[in-house]
Amino acid sequence: MTGEPNPLRALTLDHLRRRTSMKWRTYPEDVLPLWVAEMDVPLAAPVVRAVAEAMELGDTGYPAGTAYAEALARFAGERWKWDGLAVTRTAIVPDVMLGAVELLKLVTGPGDPVIVNSPVYPPFYQFVTHLDRRVTEAPLGPDLRLDLAGLRDVFRRCVAAGGRAAYLLCNPHNPTGTVHTAEELTAVAALAERYGVRVVADEIHAPVVSPHARFVPYLSVPGAERGLSLMSASKGWNLAGLKAALAVAGPGAADDLARMPEEVGHGASHVGVLAHTAALRDGTAWLDALLTGLDDNRRLLTDLLAERLPGVVHRAGEATFLAWLDCRALGLGDDPAEVFLRRGRVAVNSGLPFGTGGAGHVRLNLATSPEVLDEAVRRMASALA
């Protein structure tokens, strides 16, 4: 027990509907929004204090220093027993996806393939394509885990023409909530070295891992020395609107990271850096209360689906606050999210933009109160009537 109350039980719907973010302004008020990755929680008190102090000081310039990286390194040591995060091999970036773009620029060129494990976070497709790289899918296995044999074949095919290739790894995986094991990641590193594929790991959900699971940083496994990672407090502490993330290089990728222009770091919010630093340094009790609440919600969602939507196949993830629901047996076609919205007034993410394996699926955000989760599943079930 942390002594902190469950933040998922703290706010009413009336309070939440006063928010002006995308989650609460995209749909009419009669729709329950369980889609975009924003949590229905108050901010952790240390974050509020850090931002309030910055406002009082007028401390709203450009980010500087290494306090964010130092806080992340300390958090990694305490949380993941990883002492290999060297502050000297980090750089501030605006956010994780823009950071991924900058890292991919360093290790690939126009037209080069970037490998992703579908179904996967839709911006992987959007940002990579906008960067003039070629998305190449290496789908997850039927168990929603990494298909290492398939990944090997894709690596081999991508480098056969002699160009450069990168692997944009989602760790933990969004949307499935899969936590990759040390053995899996070690195998990935060995394959990447064998075929000369550069790994860029999106580890934004790393803090949001069940107390019963173990997150393994990609850069911590043997053979990952040439890897690059992106980390942030954004998902763990609900700070998406306070832009700031860190790019982290393995020992063999330090020279690559050093080539990133200094101006990239100016795109992060200084106030965001202060907020993320405070979260990592002083917000762990709040995070632990959240993780306990998310575990409760995962169990609740499993029970609610079994009772009201037994045709839905759901493997509860061990990480993220997202649930990946296989609705193909419901007979709602390739885009059941459209039906749940139109008939049930619940907004969930369509599985289609997640790539191969997404048709007939939806992604549901379970970082809300148990009462809202209960009502959402009730409405989704009513959409079948």
Side-chain angles (χ1 to χ4, degrees), residues 73 80 89 109 121 152 158 186 194 258 269 282 307 342 375:
W80 308 319
R89 295 197 305 272
Y121 184 49
R152 178 199 62 216
C158 283
T186 300
R194 177 179 175 185
S269 161
D282 302 317
E307 176 187 348
R342 177 166 46 85
E375 173 65 10

Side-chain angles (χ1 to χ4, degrees), residues 1-267:
M1 299 295 291
T2 67
E4 289 265 351
N6 179 357
L8 295 168
R9 291 179 173 268
L11 302 178
T12 65
L13 265 177
D14 286 342
H15 179 104
L16 290 163
R17 290 197 187 280
R18 291 165 53 198
R19 293 180 171 178
T20 59
S21 62
M22 179 186 291
K23 180 174 185 179
W24 296 98
R25 288 294 181 266
T26 299
Y27 297 100
E29 281 204 4
D30 67 325
V31 172
L32 282 181
L34 273 68
W35 62 296
V36 71
E38 175 186 331
M39 297 191 285
D40 295 349
V41 293
L43 290 183
V47 172
V48 175
R49 285 196 299 270
V51 173
E53 288 171 6
M55 295 302 102
E56 290 168 3
L57 287 170
D59 191 7
T60 54
Y62 295 98
T66 58
Y68 188 3
E70 290 165 10
L72 177 60
R74 190 178 308 114
F75 181 87
E78 295 171 355
R79 204 75 169 186
W80 308 319
K81 310 305 178 191
W82 178 41
D83 60 3
L85 198 163
V87 171
T88 55
R89 295 197 305 272
T90 65
I92 293 173
V93 292
D95 60 31
V96 163
M97 277 313 304
L98 291 177
V101 166
E102 294 298 333
L103 295 182
L104 289 170
K105 285 179 184 177
L106 298 175
V107 298
T108 63
D112 284 339
V114 175
I115 298 142
V116 304
N117 299 121
S118 58
V120 73
Y121 184 49
F124 276 24
Y125 295 90
Q126 298 156 358
F127 278 91
V128 169
T129 302
H130 185 65
L131 183 60
D132 193 24
R133 271 49 168 183
R134 177 166 45 89
V135 177
T136 302
E137 293 183 329
L140 298 174
D143 58 356
L144 301 182
R145 304 201 69 87
L146 297 177
D147 177 356
L148 293 170
L151 192 63
R152 178 199 62 216
D153 292 343
V154 172
F155 279 11
R156 180 193 298 127
R157 188 167 70 248
C158 283
V159 301
R164 294 187 291 175
Y167 173 36
L168 188 52
L169 169 69
C170 199
N171 178 40
H173 195 82
N174 172 5
T176 63
T178 304
V179 178
H180 306 311
T181 66
E183 292 75 19
E184 288 169 326
L185 294 175
T186 300
V188 165
L191 287 173
E193 282 302 295
R194 177 179 175 185
Y195 291 103
V197 174
R198 300 301 299 275
V199 178
V200 176
D202 170 355
E203 299 185 314
I204 195 171
H205 284 280
V208 195
V209 173
S210 166
H212 309 295
R214 176 180 171 239
F215 170 71
V216 179
Y218 176 70
L219 297 181
S220 72
V221 302
E225 291 79 11
R226 293 204 311 140
L228 294 152
S229 169
L230 292 142
M231 293 186 169
S232 169
S234 172
K235 293 297 184 280
W237 286 267
N238 209 40
L239 304 178
L242 290 166
K243 295 286 189 179
L246 285 165
V248 185
D255 289 345
D256 293 305
L257 187 60
R259 291 188 287 109
M260 190 168 70
E262 179 187 348
E263 288 75 14
V264 171
H266 296 171

